[in-house]
Amino acid sequence: MGMQWEGKSFIDNLPKIYGVYTGGFLAFFALMAILEQMGVGADMIGILFVGFTIVIYAFIGVLSRTMAVDAYYVAGRSVPPVFNGMATAADWMSGASFVAMAGGIFMAGHGYMAFIVGWTGGYILVATLMAPYLRKFGCYTVPDFVGTRYGGKLARFCAIVVLIVASFTYVTAQITATGTIAARALQIPFEAGVWFGLAGILVCSMLGGMRAVTWTQVAQYIVLIVAYLIPIFWMSIAQGFGPFPQLAYGGAVERIMELEPVIGVGTKAVEAVPGLGVLTTLHATPKEGAIAAWQFVTLVACMMIGTASLPHILMRYFTTPSVRDARTSVAWSLFFIFLLYFSAPALATFSKLQMIDPTLPTAIIGKSIDEVMALNWIQKWGAIGLLAVKDGNADGILQINEFFLNPDIIVLATPEMAGLPYVISGLVAAGGMAAAMSTADGLLLAMANALSHDLYYKIIDPKAETKKRLLTARILLVVIGAAGALVASMKLTGILGAVAWAFCFAMSGLFFPLVLGVWWKRANRPGAIAGMVGGLGVGWWYLLAVRNPKEWYGLAEPWLGLNDLRFGIVGIVASLVCMVVVTLLTAAPDEETQRMVDEVRIPRGDTIIGAKA
Amino acid sequence: MTQLTQEQRALHWQRTRTLMIVHLTIWFIFSYVVHWFAVELNAIKFFGWPLGYYMSAQGSLVVFVVQLFMFSKQQHAIDVEFGVAEEE
């Protein structure tokens, strides 16, 4: 079947296509609910949810296969801003956002909110400093910009290195997440889940490159946002907070703050359960003092600047039809991301209130241990080690410091705590899978494209023909994916740690070379190389040093309380200093480069790379 | 397409830069300044929320979203004024 993937009729039909798709997904959800009522088991429903959605993505991926360079690298530059916004939102929101965020807020209170602020506000930097100019440039990849703006193979190579370090760190976390969810929903071992997840990811990207990833990401966004919001709306209505809990949960926060001293939040646990913790942090009360405030703003800064430096996000804005569309598309991206992020604290709040408020039927704190242990969801999640009950003071009553949990169960188990049918849990599993797969796809594509376009075509073999280039791109995709899965199956770091590191690596190496490439005409090649090498090198050294204070790296105490989640602050300062000093010590870029920068700054006219070729 | 003079280019870029600085100033306030004073703001109640918490859960986010749609409009207006917007 020949299918039209670009051009006016396809673009005009997009709202209809995805409207039908959304309706179909909701119908599937209804069908599952009916099957559950008819007595189909919970396991089967989980398998059907995850299996059905992956088949749909694979179908889109296969249909949108291509052999054209423009379609493979930048989706033919024909993605309308609203749809690119949805795709970016899926690209952006990882398994960590979907599964771990509400749980993090639940456990760590205000300190964790730095992720919410940091992972949204970064888009202001993307829109004002980068996206429109990179789109005008007309590059295929982020290193393509660096290589053309500064000239020379070495600058391009440095950008490839930073991209690979940051994206590979990130992708292992995503493949781990797909493995965890697949393992749980399909009831297979974790290692098998990892390879199964990878197969799903590759089917979406291998045949159609950016074009296929774009249209599967839109589909994945719809699944993940529906899966995140339906349980929240449902729970809110069930608890009498009305249909828009995001606007009405102030009262619930107030009630939690009243209850906290009564039930004794903050008392340490008597016993310890490995991998699990008890709630000891206040819900909405920030820690006092300048150090806590400093910790908050430095984490916000790392997440924001990292956002604006991550190549898999920046390259999404290469796919819009115009510079103006790239700009509006950033606004739409943030809007779609906002829908999930402003709901996460509401979910954390409701979930906590229903556990601790003695006037609610769902409360467990203050109940007798026997009564709590008889609950279905306590038994189920207890059996796989995600929660535990230990009667520390042996009074037979469950206290807040006797309830141990893994934060991830806030999203995964809240529907069951609230007594919602299992079909909701199946939906949540499909949503988490969509979130992790879409991010992994974007990251793998960013890496494979940089290696095939920048390293292979631009540096090693500039005469390679199209067919060979695209074949290389696909082989690299499989190889990098397999490497990621191999590392993921070794379970090296927690999901959140690896995600924060990726942001810090990206900001250390790429932020200033990209921004100053547009905003400072004087910036030159030696400066950019110094900025990338210096930033990545110093950032990496600092990460190793704070992680291993006893080793030879020469750092006994972290500077200013900057721990391993915040090493990007050190890296980016080094990057700025190196880039400015070296630039000023060497000659200004030539006339042609300066004219190129002038052209980048106005939307009108041909793309820079298109005009050069 | 008429050629831009150097002065027009410089003026267009100056206006673009001013717009960027205005938006980054607002961004700085709602990303850092507001949250630096979270403890103090929490003393104020906002529809039941302590204000410091509210700003991190929703307030800053709403500002960012509105800001980006406005930025996109304003930058386009500058481009149209100088005749450097893309043809439709």
Side-chain angles (χ1 to χ4, degrees):
Chain A
M1 182 179 78
M3 170 118 185
Q4 194 72 41
W5 286 93
E6 279 140 32
K8 201 170 166 333
S9 69
F10 172 66
I11 300 298
D12 288 346
N13 271 323
L14 275 173
K16 207 163 96 192
I17 296 171
Y18 281 104
V20 169
Y21 165 81
T22 311
F25 181 62
L26 291 172
F28 176 77
F29 174 64
L31 177 71
M32 288 299 112
I34 294 169
L35 285 183
E36 184 181 3
Q37 296 309 313
M38 287 166 57
V40 174
D43 298 348
M44 193 61 207
I45 290 187
I47 293 172
L48 285 174
F49 254 109
V50 172
F52 176 76
T53 48
I54 291 182
V55 168
I56 296 278
Y57 311 145
F59 184 67
I60 300 175
V62 173
L63 270 189
S64 51
R65 64 188 177 276
T66 181
M67 278 311 283
V69 176
D70 241 30
Y72 189 88
Y73 283 112
V74 288
R77 299 200 203 276
S78 63
V79 185
V82 178
F83 286 94
N84 191 48
M86 279 194 235
T88 311
D91 200 28
W92 175 242
M93 290 188 285
S94 56
S97 294
F98 192 93
V99 178
M101 184 174 262
I105 299 167
F106 181 102
M107 292 297 275
H110 183 265
Y112 198 90
M113 305 297 275
F115 285 108
I116 301 250
V117 179
W119 283 342
T120 49
Y123 282 87
I124 307 288
L125 298 176
V126 174
T128 53
L129 299 175
M130 311 235 185
Y133 307 106
L134 295 183
R135 171 62 187 84
K136 174 65 194 288
F137 213 87
C139 37
Y140 280 155
T141 65
V142 169
D144 211 8
F145 170 80
V146 174
T148 315
R149 160 66 176 83
Y150 297 109
K153 292 181 174 176
L154 184 58
R156 191 184 287 267
F157 182 75
C158 293
I160 299 173
V161 171
V162 182
L163 180 148
I164 297 288
V165 170
S167 305
F168 195 78
T169 312
Y170 204 163
V171 86
T172 50
Q174 296 315 311
I175 297 180
T176 307
T178 56
T180 313
I181 298 169
R184 214 174 288 157
L186 307 177
Q187 327 238 329
I188 49 180
F190 172 75
E191 285 74 14
V194 163
W195 292 101
F196 177 85
L198 177 67
I201 293 162
L202 287 178
V203 172
C204 297
S205 50
M206 211 174 83
L207 298 173
M210 193 59 167
R211 180 161 84 183
V213 166
T214 300
W215 301 119
T216 46
Q217 279 176 339
V218 175
Q220 284 160 337
Y221 176 76
I222 292 168
V223 168
L224 81 88
I225 199 70
V226 167
Y228 206 80
L229 294 182
I230 283 189
I232 298 180
F233 289 139
W234 191 328
M235 246 183 333
S236 167
I237 293 169
Q239 293 181 12
F241 282 95
F244 279 102
Q246 291 93 337
L247 307 179
Y249 74 98
V253 174
E254 216 171 5
R255 177 83 179 126
I256 289 179
M257 292 173 82
E258 266 168 42
L259 287 167
E260 276 170 344
V262 179
I263 58 170
V265 175
T267 333
K268 293 250 168 351
V270 183
E271 293 170 54
V273 180
L276 305 180
V278 299
L279 177 66
T280 55
T281 314
L282 296 180
H283 192 66
T285 315
K287 288 204 181 74
E288 302 266 341
I291 296 193
W294 169 252
Q295 295 277 4
F296 192 98
V297 297
T298 46
L299 191 55
V300 168
C302 286
M303 296 307 116
M304 286 185 175
I305 303 171
T307 304
S309 321
L310 278 168
H312 76 290
I313 293 301
L314 295 176
M315 75 175 189
R316 285 243 44 102
Y317 301 107
F318 304 165
T319 66
T320 57
S322 70
V323 175
R324 186 190 176 192
D325 286 338
R327 230 180 269 129
T328 27
S329 185
V330 184
W332 282 111
S333 308
L334 184 59
F335 171 75
F336 289 121
I337 292 165
F338 166 80
L339 288 183
L340 190 143
Y341 283 13
F342 96 123
S343 306
L347 177 59
T349 302
F350 282 126
S351 153
K352 191 178 282 183
L353 188 64
Q354 68 184 7
M355 245 182 240
I356 66 172
D357 189 342
T359 61
L360 294 175
T362 46
I364 53 166
I365 305 300
K367 289 264 175 69
S368 81
I369 300 245
D370 294 339
E371 209 179 323
V372 172
M373 292 307 286
L375 290 171
N376 205 355
W377 68 270
I378 297 273
Q379 289 174 358
K380 183 184 154 201
W381 295 94
I384 53 171
L386 288 181
L387 62 80
V389 170
K390 300 272 173 206
D391 194 4
N393 60 0
D395 65 349
I397 305 285
L398 181 63
Q399 313 289 339
I400 189 77
N401 66 342
E402 296 170 350
F403 183 59
F404 295 78
L405 68 161
N406 175 318
D408 289 356
I409 68 163
I410 298 307
V411 166
L412 300 174
T414 295
E416 290 161 69
M417 282 178 223
L420 304 188
Y422 184 79
V423 66
I424 295 282
S425 304
L427 180 69
V428 169
M433 196 73 187
M437 281 177 73
S438 54
T439 306
D441 256 325
L443 289 161
L444 282 182
L445 196 65
M447 286 186 278
N449 286 1
L451 290 180
S452 67
H453 179 75
D454 295 290
L455 187 65
Y456 173 67
Y457 177 56
K458 290 285 181 170
I459 296 183
I460 296 173
D461 181 9
K463 292 195 192 75
E465 24 178 320
T466 310
K467 214 173 152 189
K468 213 167 147 198
R469 284 162 61 192
L470 291 184
L471 187 67
T472 318
R474 288 177 172 125
I475 294 169
L476 283 166
L477 204 57
V478 177
V479 171
I480 301 169
L486 203 63
V487 175
S489 61
M490 296 191 288
K491 300 185 186 174
L492 292 179
T493 49
I495 291 186
L496 191 72
V499 169
W501 291 358
F503 282 73
C504 288
F505 278 130
M507 76 189 264
S508 299
L510 279 174
F511 185 75
F512 280 116
L514 293 178
V515 171
L516 297 182
V518 176
W519 291 86
W520 192 31
K521 227 188 259 185
R522 175 73 173 75
N524 63 12
R525 181 190 312 161
I529 294 172
M532 287 185 277
V533 173
L536 186 68
V538 172
W540 204 324
W541 160 77
Y542 188 81
L543 170 65
L544 291 171
V546 289
R547 294 268 293 176
N548 312 291
K550 293 204 180 67
E551 297 288 319
W552 51 271
Y553 301 104
L555 200 67
E557 282 282 303
W559 295 337
L560 302 166
L562 295 170
N563 63 3
D564 65 318
L565 296 183
R566 298 170 174 80
F567 75 84
I569 301 276
V570 177
I572 199 170
V573 171
S575 172
L576 178 63
V577 171
C578 291
M579 183 159 176
V580 171
V581 169
V582 174
T583 295
L584 291 178
L585 289 177
T586 47
D590 58 23
E591 276 289 298
E592 199 195 337
T593 308
Q594 305 217 13
R595 258 204 310 279
M596 176 161 86
V597 177
D598 276 335
E599 281 309 309
V600 170
R601 293 175 173 185
I602 57 171
R604 181 174 235 170
D606 293 331
T607 57
I608 306 295
I609 289 184
K612 267 187 124 185
Chain B
M1 176 176 148
T2 49
Q3 275 298 316
L4 285 173
T5 64
Q6 273 307 317
E7 291 84 67
Q8 278 174 315
R9 271 184 195 274
L11 195 60
H12 170 260
W13 190 240
Q14 197 193 339
R15 294 273 299 276
T16 302
R17 203 166 48 199
T18 310
L19 184 69
M20 179 272 279
I21 291 170
V22 168
H23 278 282
L24 287 193
T25 308
I26 301 171
W27 166 81
F28 185 82
I29 294 170
F30 284 96
S31 302
Y32 305 105
V33 180
V34 164
H35 304 294
W36 188 271
F37 297 105
V39 174
E40 289 79 3
L41 287 175
N42 251 16
I44 305 167
K45 279 275 174 314
F46 180 81
F47 294 103
W49 281 278
L51 188 57
Y53 179 83
Y54 180 80
M55 288 313 293
S56 63
Q58 283 188 11
S60 290
L61 280 64
V62 172
V63 171
F64 296 149
V65 173
V66 172
Q67 204 190 338
L68 271 192
F69 280 101
M70 283 177 61
F71 166 75
S72 170
K73 244 190 145 136
Q74 291 161 334
Q75 180 67 54
H76 185 62
I78 293 175
D79 293 341
V80 169
E81 191 188 324
F82 284 86
V84 295
E86 296 143 300
E87 285 126 25
E88 294 297 315

